[in-house]
mmCIF file of all heavy atoms in Angstrom:
data_model
loop_
_atom_site.group_PDB
_atom_site.id
_atom_site.type_symbol
_atom_site.label_atom_id
_atom_site.label_comp_id
_atom_site.label_asym_id
_atom_site.label_seq_id
_atom_site.Cartn_x
_atom_site.Cartn_y
_atom_site.Cartn_z
ATOM 1 N N GLU A 138 5.212 5.978 -14.999
ATOM 2 C CA GLU A 138 4.535 5.289 -16.085
ATOM 3 C C GLU A 138 4.718 3.793 -15.865
ATOM 4 O O GLU A 138 5.843 3.310 -15.737
ATOM 5 C CB GLU A 138 5.115 5.706 -17.425
ATOM 6 C CG GLU A 138 4.368 5.129 -18.621
ATOM 7 C CD GLU A 138 4.891 5.654 -19.931
ATOM 8 O OE1 GLU A 138 4.723 6.866 -20.191
ATOM 9 O OE2 GLU A 138 5.486 4.850 -20.695
ATOM 10 N N ASP A 139 3.604 3.057 -15.803
ATOM 11 C CA ASP A 139 3.719 1.618 -15.551
ATOM 12 C C ASP A 139 4.066 0.885 -16.845
ATOM 13 O O ASP A 139 4.234 1.493 -17.909
ATOM 14 C CB ASP A 139 2.457 1.077 -14.883
ATOM 15 C CG ASP A 139 1.250 1.017 -15.817
ATOM 16 O OD1 ASP A 139 1.393 1.287 -17.024
ATOM 17 O OD2 ASP A 139 0.153 0.692 -15.332
ATOM 18 N N LYS A 140 4.198 -0.438 -16.762
ATOM 19 C CA LYS A 140 4.651 -1.219 -17.907
ATOM 20 C C LYS A 140 3.635 -1.259 -19.032
ATOM 21 O O LYS A 140 3.964 -1.656 -20.157
ATOM 22 C CB LYS A 140 5.000 -2.636 -17.450
ATOM 23 C CG LYS A 140 6.226 -2.660 -16.540
ATOM 24 C CD LYS A 140 6.591 -4.071 -16.136
ATOM 25 C CE LYS A 140 7.833 -4.060 -15.242
ATOM 26 N NZ LYS A 140 8.242 -5.441 -14.838
ATOM 27 N N GLY A 141 2.405 -0.836 -18.726
ATOM 28 C CA GLY A 141 1.393 -0.749 -19.772
ATOM 29 C C GLY A 141 1.300 0.633 -20.384
ATOM 30 O O GLY A 141 0.385 0.910 -21.168
ATOM 31 N N GLY A 142 2.231 1.522 -19.997
ATOM 32 C CA GLY A 142 2.239 2.872 -20.534
ATOM 33 C C GLY A 142 1.243 3.807 -19.883
ATOM 34 O O GLY A 142 0.990 4.903 -20.381
ATOM 35 N N ARG A 143 0.665 3.386 -18.759
ATOM 36 C CA ARG A 143 -0.309 4.226 -18.051
ATOM 37 C C ARG A 143 0.413 5.148 -17.068
ATOM 38 O O ARG A 143 1.348 4.725 -16.372
ATOM 39 C CB ARG A 143 -1.320 3.347 -17.316
ATOM 40 C CG ARG A 143 -2.248 2.559 -18.232
ATOM 41 C CD ARG A 143 -3.072 1.544 -17.442
ATOM 42 N NE ARG A 143 -2.217 0.452 -16.974
ATOM 43 C CZ ARG A 143 -2.071 -0.706 -17.634
ATOM 44 N NH1 ARG A 143 -2.724 -0.911 -18.756
ATOM 45 N NH2 ARG A 143 -1.277 -1.648 -17.148
ATOM 46 N N HIS A 144 -0.035 6.392 -16.997
ATOM 47 C CA HIS A 144 0.525 7.360 -16.056
ATOM 48 C C HIS A 144 -0.236 7.222 -14.735
ATOM 49 O O HIS A 144 -1.433 7.519 -14.676
ATOM 50 C CB HIS A 144 0.383 8.777 -16.610
ATOM 51 C CG HIS A 144 1.279 9.770 -15.924
ATOM 52 N ND1 HIS A 144 1.106 11.123 -16.016
ATOM 53 C CD2 HIS A 144 2.367 9.590 -15.111
ATOM 54 C CE1 HIS A 144 2.038 11.744 -15.312
ATOM 55 N NE2 HIS A 144 2.804 10.836 -14.749
ATOM 56 N N VAL A 145 0.437 6.719 -13.712
ATOM 57 C CA VAL A 145 -0.238 6.402 -12.457
ATOM 58 C C VAL A 145 0.434 7.136 -11.295
ATOM 59 O O VAL A 145 1.562 7.617 -11.399
ATOM 60 C CB VAL A 145 -0.228 4.876 -12.180
ATOM 61 C CG1 VAL A 145 -0.983 4.134 -13.272
ATOM 62 C CG2 VAL A 145 1.203 4.350 -12.067
ATOM 63 N N ALA A 146 -0.296 7.206 -10.187
ATOM 64 C CA ALA A 146 0.205 7.856 -8.974
ATOM 65 C C ALA A 146 -0.088 6.975 -7.776
ATOM 66 O O ALA A 146 -1.133 6.309 -7.719
ATOM 67 C CB ALA A 146 -0.455 9.225 -8.784
ATOM 68 N N MET A 147 0.829 6.968 -6.834
ATOM 69 C CA MET A 147 0.539 6.344 -5.547
ATOM 70 C C MET A 147 -0.434 7.259 -4.824
ATOM 71 O O MET A 147 -0.229 8.480 -4.760
ATOM 72 C CB MET A 147 1.833 6.154 -4.757
ATOM 73 C CG MET A 147 2.824 5.256 -5.472
ATOM 74 S SD MET A 147 4.371 4.994 -4.554
ATOM 75 C CE MET A 147 3.790 3.903 -3.243
ATOM 76 N N THR A 148 -1.495 6.700 -4.288
ATOM 77 C CA THR A 148 -2.615 7.504 -3.795
ATOM 78 C C THR A 148 -2.186 8.448 -2.673
ATOM 79 O O THR A 148 -1.694 8.005 -1.642
ATOM 80 C CB THR A 148 -3.753 6.613 -3.292
ATOM 81 O OG1 THR A 148 -3.198 5.594 -2.442
ATOM 82 C CG2 THR A 148 -4.450 5.935 -4.443
ATOM 83 N N PRO A 149 -2.402 9.768 -2.845
ATOM 84 C CA PRO A 149 -2.024 10.746 -1.825
ATOM 85 C C PRO A 149 -3.117 11.011 -0.797
ATOM 86 O O PRO A 149 -2.878 11.632 0.230
ATOM 87 C CB PRO A 149 -1.756 12.002 -2.648
ATOM 88 C CG PRO A 149 -2.742 11.887 -3.780
ATOM 89 C CD PRO A 149 -2.833 10.413 -4.095
ATOM 90 N N GLU A 150 -4.332 10.579 -1.087
ATOM 91 C CA GLU A 150 -5.466 10.744 -0.189
ATOM 92 C C GLU A 150 -6.556 9.777 -0.639
ATOM 93 O O GLU A 150 -6.472 9.188 -1.724
ATOM 94 C CB GLU A 150 -5.992 12.189 -0.211
ATOM 95 C CG GLU A 150 -6.444 12.633 -1.590
ATOM 96 C CD GLU A 150 -7.171 13.954 -1.583
ATOM 97 O OE1 GLU A 150 -8.024 14.140 -0.687
ATOM 98 O OE2 GLU A 150 -6.904 14.789 -2.464
ATOM 99 N N LEU A 151 -7.601 9.641 0.180
ATOM 100 C CA LEU A 151 -8.631 8.648 -0.130
ATOM 101 C C LEU A 151 -9.848 9.231 -0.836
ATOM 102 O O LEU A 151 -10.515 8.531 -1.596
ATOM 103 C CB LEU A 151 -9.089 7.946 1.154
ATOM 104 C CG LEU A 151 -9.978 6.716 0.930
ATOM 105 C CD1 LEU A 151 -9.180 5.595 0.270
ATOM 106 C CD2 LEU A 151 -10.583 6.234 2.230
ATOM 107 N N THR A 152 -10.160 10.500 -0.608
ATOM 108 C CA THR A 152 -11.443 11.040 -1.049
ATOM 109 C C THR A 152 -11.699 10.855 -2.546
ATOM 110 O O THR A 152 -12.793 10.413 -2.936
ATOM 111 C CB THR A 152 -11.571 12.513 -0.642
ATOM 112 O OG1 THR A 152 -11.355 12.631 0.767
ATOM 113 C CG2 THR A 152 -12.952 13.048 -0.971
ATOM 114 N N PRO A 153 -10.747 11.165 -3.449
ATOM 115 C CA PRO A 153 -11.034 10.913 -4.868
ATOM 116 C C PRO A 153 -11.303 9.443 -5.169
ATOM 117 O O PRO A 153 -12.142 9.116 -6.015
ATOM 118 C CB PRO A 153 -9.759 11.406 -5.572
ATOM 119 C CG PRO A 153 -9.199 12.430 -4.646
ATOM 120 C CD PRO A 153 -9.466 11.885 -3.272
ATOM 121 N N THR A 154 -10.602 8.547 -4.474
ATOM 122 C CA THR A 154 -10.814 7.118 -4.709
ATOM 123 C C THR A 154 -12.218 6.692 -4.305
ATOM 124 O O THR A 154 -12.907 5.980 -5.051
ATOM 125 C CB THR A 154 -9.762 6.292 -3.942
ATOM 126 O OG1 THR A 154 -8.465 6.543 -4.498
ATOM 127 C CG2 THR A 154 -10.064 4.805 -4.037
ATOM 128 N N VAL A 155 -12.654 7.109 -3.108
ATOM 129 C CA VAL A 155 -13.995 6.692 -2.697
ATOM 130 C C VAL A 155 -15.060 7.359 -3.556
ATOM 131 O O VAL A 155 -16.126 6.772 -3.795
ATOM 132 C CB VAL A 155 -14.248 6.951 -1.191
ATOM 133 C CG1 VAL A 155 -13.384 6.044 -0.342
ATOM 134 C CG2 VAL A 155 -14.033 8.403 -0.808
ATOM 135 N N ALA A 156 -14.778 8.566 -4.034
ATOM 136 C CA ALA A 156 -15.713 9.194 -4.970
ATOM 137 C C ALA A 156 -15.836 8.340 -6.230
ATOM 138 O O ALA A 156 -16.944 8.093 -6.730
ATOM 139 C CB ALA A 156 -15.244 10.601 -5.320
ATOM 140 N N ARG A 157 -14.698 7.864 -6.749
ATOM 141 C CA ARG A 157 -14.723 6.988 -7.919
ATOM 142 C C ARG A 157 -15.505 5.711 -7.633
ATOM 143 O O ARG A 157 -16.292 5.242 -8.480
ATOM 144 C CB ARG A 157 -13.276 6.653 -8.318
ATOM 145 C CG ARG A 157 -13.182 5.671 -9.467
ATOM 146 C CD ARG A 157 -11.742 5.291 -9.767
ATOM 147 N NE ARG A 157 -11.034 4.695 -8.638
ATOM 148 C CZ ARG A 157 -11.239 3.479 -8.161
ATOM 149 N NH1 ARG A 157 -12.174 2.699 -8.706
ATOM 150 N NH2 ARG A 157 -10.526 3.018 -7.153
ATOM 151 N N MET A 158 -15.336 5.155 -6.439
ATOM 152 C CA MET A 158 -16.037 3.918 -6.084
ATOM 153 C C MET A 158 -17.542 4.131 -5.994
ATOM 154 O O MET A 158 -18.331 3.284 -6.431
ATOM 155 C CB MET A 158 -15.495 3.392 -4.754
ATOM 156 C CG MET A 158 -14.074 2.864 -4.847
ATOM 157 S SD MET A 158 -13.378 2.414 -3.231
ATOM 158 C CE MET A 158 -14.432 1.029 -2.773
ATOM 159 N N VAL A 159 -17.958 5.259 -5.437
ATOM 160 C CA VAL A 159 -19.390 5.548 -5.343
ATOM 161 C C VAL A 159 -19.989 5.711 -6.734
ATOM 162 O O VAL A 159 -21.075 5.195 -7.036
ATOM 163 C CB VAL A 159 -19.636 6.801 -4.481
ATOM 164 C CG1 VAL A 159 -21.098 7.247 -4.576
ATOM 165 C CG2 VAL A 159 -19.266 6.543 -3.022
ATOM 166 N N VAL A 160 -19.281 6.421 -7.601
ATOM 167 C CA VAL A 160 -19.769 6.606 -8.959
ATOM 168 C C VAL A 160 -19.882 5.265 -9.677
ATOM 169 O O VAL A 160 -20.851 5.001 -10.400
ATOM 170 C CB VAL A 160 -18.839 7.564 -9.736
ATOM 171 C CG1 VAL A 160 -19.229 7.603 -11.211
ATOM 172 C CG2 VAL A 160 -18.898 8.968 -9.135
ATOM 173 N N ALA A 161 -18.905 4.380 -9.463
ATOM 174 C CA ALA A 161 -18.883 3.091 -10.171
ATOM 175 C C ALA A 161 -20.085 2.230 -9.828
ATOM 176 O O ALA A 161 -20.627 1.534 -10.687
ATOM 177 C CB ALA A 161 -17.588 2.345 -9.834
ATOM 178 N N LYS A 162 -20.545 2.290 -8.595
ATOM 179 C CA LYS A 162 -21.689 1.467 -8.168
ATOM 180 C C LYS A 162 -23.020 2.186 -8.326
ATOM 181 O O LYS A 162 -24.077 1.548 -8.407
ATOM 182 C CB LYS A 162 -21.509 1.037 -6.708
ATOM 183 C CG LYS A 162 -20.450 -0.030 -6.507
ATOM 184 C CD LYS A 162 -20.894 -1.376 -7.048
ATOM 185 C CE LYS A 162 -19.915 -2.463 -6.718
ATOM 186 N NZ LYS A 162 -20.344 -3.787 -7.209
ATOM 187 N N GLY A 163 -22.974 3.521 -8.311
ATOM 188 C CA GLY A 163 -24.174 4.304 -8.543
ATOM 189 C C GLY A 163 -25.327 3.958 -7.622
ATOM 190 O O GLY A 163 -25.202 3.919 -6.406
ATOM 191 N N GLN A 164 -26.452 3.634 -8.227
ATOM 192 C CA GLN A 164 -27.681 3.413 -7.475
ATOM 193 C C GLN A 164 -27.715 2.053 -6.768
ATOM 194 O O GLN A 164 -28.650 1.767 -6.021
ATOM 195 C CB GLN A 164 -28.883 3.535 -8.413
ATOM 196 C CG GLN A 164 -29.036 4.916 -9.053
ATOM 197 C CD GLN A 164 -29.103 6.025 -8.027
ATOM 198 O OE1 GLN A 164 -29.875 5.955 -7.064
ATOM 199 N NE2 GLN A 164 -28.288 7.057 -8.212
ATOM 200 N N GLU A 165 -26.712 1.211 -6.987
ATOM 201 C CA GLU A 165 -26.691 -0.086 -6.315
ATOM 202 C C GLU A 165 -26.443 0.052 -4.814
ATOM 203 O O GLU A 165 -26.791 -0.835 -4.038
ATOM 204 C CB GLU A 165 -25.588 -0.973 -6.911
ATOM 205 C CG GLU A 165 -25.764 -1.309 -8.374
ATOM 206 C CD GLU A 165 -24.589 -2.125 -8.883
ATOM 207 O OE1 GLU A 165 -24.121 -3.016 -8.139
ATOM 208 O OE2 GLU A 165 -24.121 -1.854 -10.004
ATOM 209 N N LEU A 166 -25.833 1.148 -4.409
ATOM 210 C CA LEU A 166 -25.437 1.327 -3.011
ATOM 211 C C LEU A 166 -26.587 1.902 -2.194
ATOM 212 O O LEU A 166 -27.231 2.874 -2.602
ATOM 213 C CB LEU A 166 -24.225 2.260 -2.927
ATOM 214 C CG LEU A 166 -22.967 1.758 -3.650
ATOM 215 C CD1 LEU A 166 -21.915 2.856 -3.707
ATOM 216 C CD2 LEU A 166 -22.413 0.528 -2.939
ATOM 217 N N GLN A 167 -26.842 1.307 -1.048
ATOM 218 C CA GLN A 167 -27.887 1.800 -0.162
ATOM 219 C C GLN A 167 -27.414 3.058 0.554
ATOM 220 O O GLN A 167 -26.325 3.103 1.104
ATOM 221 C CB GLN A 167 -28.240 0.721 0.869
ATOM 222 C CG GLN A 167 -29.338 1.136 1.837
ATOM 223 C CD GLN A 167 -29.749 -0.020 2.729
ATOM 224 O OE1 GLN A 167 -29.933 -1.134 2.274
ATOM 225 N NE2 GLN A 167 -29.883 0.255 4.015
ATOM 226 N N LYS A 168 -28.225 4.088 0.534
ATOM 227 C CA LYS A 168 -27.876 5.363 1.141
ATOM 228 C C LYS A 168 -28.516 5.492 2.535
ATOM 229 O O LYS A 168 -29.615 4.981 2.741
ATOM 230 C CB LYS A 168 -28.361 6.526 0.259
ATOM 231 C CG LYS A 168 -27.997 6.406 -1.216
ATOM 232 C CD LYS A 168 -26.650 6.921 -1.521
ATOM 233 C CE LYS A 168 -26.354 7.043 -3.007
ATOM 234 N NZ LYS A 168 -26.754 5.946 -3.880
ATOM 235 N N PRO A 169 -27.869 6.167 3.458
ATOM 236 C CA PRO A 169 -26.529 6.722 3.306
ATOM 237 C C PRO A 169 -25.462 5.635 3.310
ATOM 238 O O PRO A 169 -25.597 4.620 3.990
ATOM 239 C CB PRO A 169 -26.387 7.641 4.515
ATOM 240 C CG PRO A 169 -27.263 7.034 5.558
ATOM 241 C CD PRO A 169 -28.437 6.465 4.811
ATOM 242 N N ILE A 170 -24.423 5.879 2.539
ATOM 243 C CA ILE A 170 -23.269 4.984 2.493
ATOM 244 C C ILE A 170 -22.326 5.404 3.617
ATOM 245 O O ILE A 170 -21.969 6.580 3.728
ATOM 246 C CB ILE A 170 -22.551 5.109 1.132
ATOM 247 C CG1 ILE A 170 -23.539 4.866 -0.013
ATOM 248 C CG2 ILE A 170 -21.355 4.187 1.066
ATOM 249 C CD1 ILE A 170 -23.064 5.430 -1.332
ATOM 250 N N LYS A 171 -21.920 4.454 4.442
ATOM 251 C CA LYS A 171 -21.035 4.765 5.564
ATOM 252 C C LYS A 171 -19.817 3.846 5.488
ATOM 253 O O LYS A 171 -19.911 2.663 5.772
ATOM 254 C CB LYS A 171 -21.776 4.602 6.895
ATOM 255 C CG LYS A 171 -22.966 5.552 7.032
ATOM 256 C CD LYS A 171 -23.795 5.268 8.269
ATOM 257 C CE LYS A 171 -23.038 5.594 9.524
ATOM 258 N NZ LYS A 171 -23.900 5.473 10.727
ATOM 259 N N TRP A 172 -18.694 4.420 5.084
ATOM 260 C CA TRP A 172 -17.486 3.646 4.837
ATOM 261 C C TRP A 172 -16.341 4.121 5.717
ATOM 262 O O TRP A 172 -16.256 5.307 6.079
ATOM 263 C CB TRP A 172 -17.063 3.788 3.379
ATOM 264 C CG TRP A 172 -17.903 3.012 2.416
ATOM 265 C CD1 TRP A 172 -18.826 2.049 2.688
ATOM 266 C CD2 TRP A 172 -17.889 3.144 0.987
ATOM 267 N NE1 TRP A 172 -19.373 1.560 1.529
ATOM 268 C CE2 TRP A 172 -18.831 2.207 0.469
ATOM 269 C CE3 TRP A 172 -17.174 3.943 0.100
ATOM 270 C CZ2 TRP A 172 -19.067 2.074 -0.891
ATOM 271 C CZ3 TRP A 172 -17.403 3.810 -1.259
ATOM 272 C CH2 TRP A 172 -18.350 2.885 -1.754
ATOM 273 N N MET A 173 -15.439 3.187 6.021
ATOM 274 C CA MET A 173 -14.217 3.552 6.728
ATOM 275 C C MET A 173 -13.084 2.643 6.273
ATOM 276 O O MET A 173 -13.312 1.527 5.804
ATOM 277 C CB MET A 173 -14.404 3.473 8.255
ATOM 278 C CG MET A 173 -14.631 2.091 8.810
ATOM 279 S SD MET A 173 -13.124 1.269 9.338
ATOM 280 C CE MET A 173 -13.842 -0.155 10.191
ATOM 281 N N SER A 174 -11.856 3.130 6.407
ATOM 282 C CA SER A 174 -10.680 2.304 6.112
ATOM 283 C C SER A 174 -9.452 2.928 6.753
ATOM 284 O O SER A 174 -9.408 4.136 7.002
ATOM 285 C CB SER A 174 -10.463 2.164 4.600
ATOM 286 O OG SER A 174 -10.018 3.379 4.036
ATOM 287 N N THR A 175 -8.459 2.079 7.011
ATOM 288 C CA THR A 175 -7.154 2.522 7.488
ATOM 289 C C THR A 175 -6.110 2.018 6.513
ATOM 290 O O THR A 175 -6.091 0.828 6.195
ATOM 291 C CB THR A 175 -6.858 1.965 8.889
ATOM 292 O OG1 THR A 175 -7.820 2.470 9.821
ATOM 293 C CG2 THR A 175 -5.461 2.380 9.354
#
């Protein structure tokens, strides 16, 4: 629990995060979206 009382996790994988990012931008992103990160 962080100092703001939020229940948080250190990211165990990337897929849920990038799914959240795609949803956040929605139709603004040109398809196909091709992303990578290390």
Side-chain angles (χ1 to χ4, degrees):
E138 186 175 293
D139 72 6
K140 293 182 179 181
R143 292 171 289 265
H144 197 196
V145 298
M147 299 181 73
T148 47
E150 59 170 316
L151 190 67
T152 306
T154 294
V155 292
R157 176 184 58 72
M158 290 174 66
V159 170
V160 172
K162 287 289 186 179
Q164 298 305 310
E165 298 177 40
L166 299 170
Q167 181 174 315
K168 311 275 190 316
I170 305 160
K171 298 173 68 173
W172 285 348
M173 67 93 170
S174 71
T175 297

